[in-house]
Amino acid sequence: MKYYSTNHTSPDVTLAEAVVKGLAPDRGLYMPERIERLPAEFFDNIDNMSFHEMACTVARAFFGDDIPASDLDAIVCDTLSFPTPVVEVEPGIYSLELFHGPTLAFKDVGARFMARLLQYFISRGDDRRNVHVLVATSGDTGSAVANGFLGVDGINVHVLYPKGKVSPIQECQFTTLGRNITAIEVDGVFDDCQRLVKSAFLDAELNDRLLLTSANSINVARFLPQAFYYFNAYAQLKKAGKADNLVVCVPSGNFGNITAGLIAHRMGLPIRRFIAANNANDVFFDYLQSGVYTPRPSVATIANAMDVGDPSNFARILDLYGNDHSRITSLISGTTYSDGLIAETMADCHRRTGYLLDPHGAVGYRALRQMLLPGETGVFLETAHPAKFKETVEAHTGTTVELPDRLKAFMQGSKQSVEMSKDYEAFRSYLLAL
């Protein structure tokens, strides 16, 4: 299968080229030339399939033309070494828990898959240079990518994160690893980190000298595998007899997660509609209301992984629906919440149900409670373990959040990072010195 740029002025490329390049030369994001609709029999039997079985079927629809089935199945099974359970929070509302992976965040799925797929391609390629993976993070992406690639031969990872704007636990998860992982502390916001990464990909001299790729959701190998757990959620609800009139609510920052859900929907997954739930960074919500997309600088919130003022994957959503505002709004609605409402939701949910939300999951849960219609079943994505935001969750729920052993291990390491201004020339000089 070929992959094209959402800007449509760069040549189509192979999967290997899309994964290694990350971003198209015309600054567009790569998309598959076709999205296979899965047969009715798949959905008839999905509730009797294992997570591995259904994920392998989905992966073959994306990548089966480019990777032998046995190799692809091995990558999928190695990626999905942990469950993504659906848990009832209250009647009609379910949490899709995506925090059971190595770094306790949803991005473990995409990061682990990409690490394995990239290693597969570079081990079979002619270019013997080390690959340098550049990743901007507003919180969980950095830890998931760093841990997904840790110790992988031939790949060096550079994690750019905004100084003082990620939680202490998130920061420890990618600044204490060493080996082939370098943390870069940028004096700016997430959008500055993302701009530095994108600028590096478009720098001809840099790309002549270094083999660069991205592990953000701009990379097709990062965001497409996230479709796996949408199918798994549907299968679990179907088995429980709760899958009719399904509404999925996605806490949305850079919009890779909801885009993966939209791809799953295009493949035939019977989701009735989506809700894109925002914190105070509400440029997509404004677009839904007005039809005009106006990016702006992000603002800091307690749901920091969603602090994005110019979401990259908005381009993919426009591309999926032919830049048609009415088609987008017929399937996706939106909402936006202040820090005060997010904190209130964490406290209220815990008091009434006993379920402990992280700030991002709280955005999704509140949106479902507000927008779910009679006869609908709602699923929100609980994207990170509450312990990753221990201080925030404890302050607003009045309960003690125990640190899982995996997080305790990260906290015992010593922080190592490279301080960097948000000026591109400083980042460029750093890369040229590698």
Side-chain angles (χ1 to χ4, degrees):
M1 186 186 297
K2 292 292 187 179
Y3 289 77
Y4 66 88
S5 167
T6 53
N7 285 340
H8 302 285
T9 58
S10 290
D12 293 351
V13 298
T14 64
L15 174 62
E17 290 170 318
V19 172
V20 173
K21 289 180 178 179
L23 191 69
D26 62 2
R27 290 180 174 260
L29 279 63
Y30 285 117
M31 287 283 284
E33 64 181 350
R34 64 183 184 278
I35 298 172
E36 302 283 354
R37 192 169 183 88
L38 295 172
E41 311 88 78
F42 172 77
F43 296 103
D44 290 341
N45 298 317
I46 195 171
D47 49 327
N48 297 314
M49 300 172 71
S50 70
F51 191 8
H52 285 164
E53 287 171 334
M54 71 182 76
C56 287
T57 300
V58 174
R60 288 178 203 137
F62 286 136
F63 311 121
D65 292 346
D66 303 279
I67 307 173
S70 59
D71 292 336
L72 182 57
D73 290 357
I75 290 171
V76 171
C77 291
D78 192 28
T79 296
L80 300 177
S81 59
F82 49 89
T84 60
V86 169
V87 177
E88 185 176 37
V89 178
E90 61 184 72
I93 296 182
Y94 295 81
S95 169
L96 173 55
E97 292 186 346
L98 300 175
F99 55 71
H100 295 280
T103 71
L104 290 83
F106 80 92
K107 295 174 182 179
D108 282 324
V109 172
R112 285 170 64 83
F113 185 89
M114 183 192 166
R116 286 147 183 78
L117 189 63
L118 182 59
Q119 186 179 40
Y120 176 88
F121 283 134
I122 65 173
S123 68
R124 288 159 176 78
D126 296 326
D127 197 328
R128 297 290 90 187
R129 293 177 296 172
N130 279 3
V131 174
H132 293 274
V133 175
L134 309 181
V135 57
T137 185
S138 57
D140 289 328
T141 296
S143 56
V145 169
N147 283 271
F149 282 91
L150 183 63
V152 176
D153 289 339
I155 300 177
N156 297 311
V157 178
H158 310 268
V159 180
L160 288 77
Y161 70 104
K163 182 177 181 178
K165 294 179 175 64
V166 302
S167 78
I169 290 176
Q170 287 174 318
E171 188 175 31
C172 283
Q173 286 187 293
F174 53 78
T175 60
T176 61
L177 299 175
R179 298 171 70 181
N180 61 325
I181 311 298
T182 302
I184 301 175
E185 190 175 22
V186 176
D187 189 12
V189 298
F190 169 76
D191 297 300
D192 295 314
C193 300
Q194 187 162 255
R195 176 181 49 80
L196 293 177
V197 168
K198 288 184 176 181
S199 296
F201 292 138
L202 299 168
D203 187 315
E205 182 183 357
L206 267 182
N207 285 271
D208 284 342
R209 293 269 298 274
L210 301 170
L211 190 54
L212 301 178
T213 192
S214 169
N216 282 87
S217 57
I218 61 175
N219 195 303
V220 294
R222 251 292 313 279
F223 96 92
L224 285 175
Q226 293 172 193
F228 297 160
Y229 44 71
Y230 286 91
F231 289 92
N232 193 34
Y234 174 77
Q236 293 174 68
L237 289 168
K238 186 173 185 284
K239 181 172 285 190
K242 303 290 185 180
D244 293 339
N245 297 319
L246 183 60
V247 177
V248 177
C249 184
V250 187
S252 300
N254 215 18
F255 279 76
N257 218 355
I258 195 169
T259 304
L262 297 171
I263 294 282
H265 179 263
R266 183 68 64 86
M267 297 177 77
L269 188 64
I271 296 173
R272 184 175 188 177
R273 60 190 179 93
F274 291 85
I275 302 171
N278 291 159
N279 58 16
N281 295 281
D282 56 1
V283 294
F284 185 75
F285 176 76
D286 286 351
Y287 165 79
L288 293 175
Q289 310 309 307
S290 67
V292 178
Y293 179 65
T294 308
R296 52 183 176 268
S298 61
V299 296
T301 75
I302 61 173
N304 66 279
M306 298 158 59
D307 293 349
V308 182
D310 186 9
S312 291
N313 287 286
F314 179 71
R316 285 190 167 117
I317 295 175
L318 287 180
D319 186 81
L320 269 174
Y321 300 102
N323 206 10
D324 187 328
H325 180 257
S326 63
R327 289 180 65 196
I328 292 170
T329 55
S330 69
L331 182 61
I332 311 170
S333 57
T335 187
T336 175
Y337 299 117
S338 66
D339 275 0
L341 290 176
I342 297 171
E344 176 187 297
T345 302
M346 288 190 289
D348 176 68
C349 180
H350 187 256
R351 182 178 62 252
R352 288 186 303 98
T353 72
Y355 192 83
L356 200 58
L357 297 162
D358 92 295
H360 309 82
V363 174
Y365 170 75
R366 187 179 185 100
L368 278 180
R369 292 201 79 220
Q370 176 184 330
M371 304 177 74
L372 206 62
L373 300 175
E376 293 180 331
T377 298
V379 176
F380 68 93
L381 275 57
E382 178 59 297
T383 56
H385 194 289
K388 297 192 76 169
F389 308 91
K390 179 178 172 66
E391 294 82 2
T392 298
V393 174
E394 290 182 342
H396 296 296
T397 63
T399 191
T400 300
V401 181
E402 294 297 327
L403 284 181
D405 290 341
R406 280 170 288 174
L407 289 185
K408 289 179 183 177
F410 288 118
M411 298 298 287
Q412 292 170 1
S414 57
K415 172 185 167 182
Q416 297 179 348
S417 63
V418 175
E419 294 187 1
M420 186 78 62
S421 78
K422 62 183 179 181
D423 178 63
Y424 175 64
E425 285 305 315
F427 183 51
R428 187 176 190 272
S429 296
Y430 162 81
L431 292 174
L432 286 172
L434 293 175

